[in-house]
Amino acid sequence: MDMSIGENICADALSGRLVMDLKALVDNYSTLAKRVHPAEASAVVKADAYGLGVAHVAPALFAAGCRKFFVAHLQEAAKLKPYLAQEASIFILNGLLPGGENFAAAHGFVPVLNSLEQIANWQHTAQSLGKTLPAILQFDTGMSRIGLSPQERDVLAQNPALLSDLDVLYLMSHLASADESENPQNESQCAVMRDILAQFPGIPLCFGNSGGIFLDTRFHGDLVRPGIALYGGVPSDRSGDAIKPVVSLSVRVVQTRSVSAGTRIGYGGTYIAAQDMRLATIAAGYADGLPRSLSDKGAAYFGDKRLPIVGRVSMDSMTIDISALPEGTLTLGSLVEVIGPHQTLEEVANAAGTISWEILTSLRHRYDRQYI
Ligand SMILES: *Cc1c(COP(=O)(O)O)cnc(C)c1O
C-alpha cells in the first residue's frame, strides 16, 4: 500500500481499495509499441501518471523498454527524475515558464518549445551556458491550444538563426480528435503537419497520442505519445479490446439501513423512496474522484448485481440502493465494486458525463493503493 497514507492503519480500515495492475500497464505499453514499430513509443506520465502514481508506473515502463517520458510541468519532471535511470529522457509538454530554464538545463530536462518566446528563452540559456541544448518544437495544427502558430512557424522557417545553439530532436503536434477515427479534423491536422515537415526537413516527427496510434502510420511519425491507453482507458473507436484495464476500485460500506416509501435520501432531499428500500452508504464521494454528476445516475456492483446510486453524491460518501441483495449481504466494512470486471472505467465516466482521463486523474490518495 501507499506509505504516504495510513502506514500504521490496517488496510481493511481504509475507505476503499484502488488496485493498479502494473502487468496490464506493461502489456498495454508493449501492445502500443508493437503497433507503431518501427516508430518508437514514449509514455505520457503527467499528472502523477494519470493519478496511478509515477513512482510505480515510471520504473515499470522503463523496465518494459520505454526510454522517453513526457510530463506537463517542470515540477513534474523534477519529481519523476529519481525514478528513472540516466538514459531516460524527460520532456516537458508545456515548455518552461520564465525562470525555469537553468533548473531544466541543469537536470537535463528537454522542454517542448511552444512559442518564439520560449524558443528565445531557451536559446539564451544555451548561449549563457556555452552549450547546445535539446528541445522539441510544437506546432499548432488546428487545436488552438498550444504550439507555434502558422505565423510564428513562417518567421522561424525564414530565420534559421532563431534555432542556433538548439538541438531540435522532434517536430511535434497534438491531435484534437484522434479518439474519433472518422473525424475530418484528423486529416486536416495531418495535412498541416505535412507542410511543416517540408518547411523543416530532416527533423523526426513526434505526433500521435493514444488515439493517434489507432489511426494510420502517418499519425505515428517517429515517436508516439500515449497516455490514457497505457492506463487502461479506451483511446479510440478503433481500439477494440486491444487495451487491458489497469485500475480497479472497491469502496467500503460504512452503514446500511432500511427506509420506508416516501423517505428523502441525501442532500437536498432530491431522491424520495418510491417504495420500501434497503440502502448502504459507501465511503467515497466527490472528494475521492467520484463526481457529483453521478448523483442518481451511476452505480456500484456487488457480484453482478447493480446497486444504483440514489440521491446526491456527497463529499466523502454516497448512498446506494441495495434492495436487490439478500438482507445482511453487506455489512460494515464490506467492499462494493466501483471500477472492475462488472463496470469499466469508461462506464463510470459515461455515467458521470465525463471522460476516463478526468476520472483517473481525480481518484487521489484517500484509498488504500495496491500495486500488483
Ligand atoms: C496528454 C497528452 C498526451 C497523451 O494523450 P492521451 O490521449 O492520454 O494518449 C499526448 N500529447 C500531449 C501534448 C498531451 O497533452
Side-chain angles (χ1 to χ4, degrees):
M1 77 173 256
D2 186 336
M3 287 303 159
S4 65
I5 54 157
E7 54 191 294
N8 298 315
I9 304 176
C10 161
D12 292 348
L14 296 173
S15 56
R17 180 188 294 159
L18 186 63
V19 180
M20 265 73 62
D21 183 347
L22 295 178
K23 167 84 167 58
L25 168 90
V26 161
D27 287 350
N28 289 340
Y29 177 76
S30 302
T31 298
L32 299 169
K34 277 200 200 94
R35 195 175 174 95
V36 301
H37 185 80
E40 185 180 355
S42 69
V44 178
V45 294
K46 63 192 180 188
D48 199 26
Y50 288 40
L52 277 72
V54 83
H56 297 267
V57 165
L61 291 173
F62 186 88
C66 183
R67 292 294 176 270
K68 299 192 167 82
F69 296 81
F70 284 84
V71 294
H73 308 297
L74 178 60
Q75 63 269 36
E76 291 184 325
K79 190 183 166 202
L80 170 62
K81 192 181 177 191
Y83 300 112
L84 291 173
Q86 204 59 41
E87 64 259 46
S89 306
I90 300 177
F91 302 101
I92 302 173
L93 290 166
N94 282 351
L96 298 170
L97 293 164
E101 293 86 1
N102 283 324
F103 182 86
H107 287 276
F109 302 147
V110 182
V112 175
L113 302 176
N114 298 298
S115 63
L116 291 178
E117 189 178 7
Q118 284 188 331
I119 291 172
N121 291 345
W122 195 231
Q123 187 187 48
H124 291 152
T125 307
Q127 289 163 352
S128 74
L129 296 172
K131 59 180 186 184
T132 300
L133 288 176
I136 290 179
L137 294 184
Q138 176 161 222
F139 297 88
D140 174 20
T141 54
M143 190 174 177
S144 310
R145 180 178 71 170
I146 197 167
L148 292 147
S149 68
Q151 296 76 9
E152 287 188 303
R153 188 219 303 172
D154 289 339
V155 171
L156 200 58
Q158 285 150 24
N159 299 279
L162 295 175
L163 293 173
S164 65
D165 302 304
L166 300 182
D167 178 16
V168 180
L169 305 180
Y170 294 97
L171 307 177
M172 177 182 140
S173 191
H174 188 52
L175 296 162
S177 304
D179 53 323
E180 300 167 0
S181 57
E182 301 300 326
N183 191 312
Q185 198 174 11
N186 296 322
E187 282 302 327
S188 92
Q189 289 194 261
C190 191
V192 178
M193 198 65 235
R194 200 174 46 229
D195 293 345
I196 296 170
L197 289 169
Q199 253 177 323
F200 302 90
I203 305 177
L205 170 64
C206 174
F207 204 5
N209 60 341
S210 299
I213 290 172
F214 290 88
L215 302 173
D216 61 70
T217 54
R218 294 172 303 149
F219 294 91
H220 300 166
D222 302 280
L223 180 70
V224 292
R225 302 182 311 277
I228 194 71
L230 298 172
Y231 309 116
V234 176
S236 163
D237 52 18
R238 281 200 191 155
S239 53
D241 58 5
I243 299 301
K244 295 183 180 173
V246 174
V247 171
S248 51
L249 173 64
S250 313
V251 175
R252 296 210 181 261
V253 170
V254 285
Q255 187 155 64
T256 60
R257 72 179 65 238
S258 297
V259 297
S260 45
T263 307
R264 289 181 185 273
I265 299 166
Y267 275 120
T270 52
Y271 188 98
I272 302 173
Q275 65 274 311
D276 294 354
M277 294 173 81
R278 276 181 297 107
L279 305 176
T281 299
I282 63 172
Y286 59 78
D288 302 285
L290 302 176
R292 200 162 170 275
S293 55
L294 287 171
S295 302
D296 291 321
K297 293 218 177 70
Y301 276 79
F302 188 79
D304 54 11
K305 281 279 186 304
R306 185 174 191 274
L307 310 173
I309 296 169
V310 288
R312 289 193 185 148
V313 173
S314 302
M315 185 188 291
D316 323 295
S317 65
M318 66 178 86
T319 304
I320 56 175
D321 177 3
I322 60 167
S323 306
L325 296 175
E327 207 165 341
T329 307
L330 298 181
T331 56
L332 180 64
S334 299
L335 283 171
V336 295
E337 173 189 327
V338 175
I339 300 169
H342 300 92
Q343 175 163 264
T344 64
L345 169 63
E346 234 55 41
E347 286 165 333
V348 174
N350 287 340
T354 182
I355 54 175
S356 55
W357 289 255
E358 188 175 10
I359 298 292
L360 274 188
T361 56
S362 305
L363 292 175
R364 307 194 216 238
H365 298 275
R366 297 211 292 188
Y367 306 112
D368 171 34
R369 294 163 79 90
Q370 297 183 354
Y371 294 88
I372 55 174

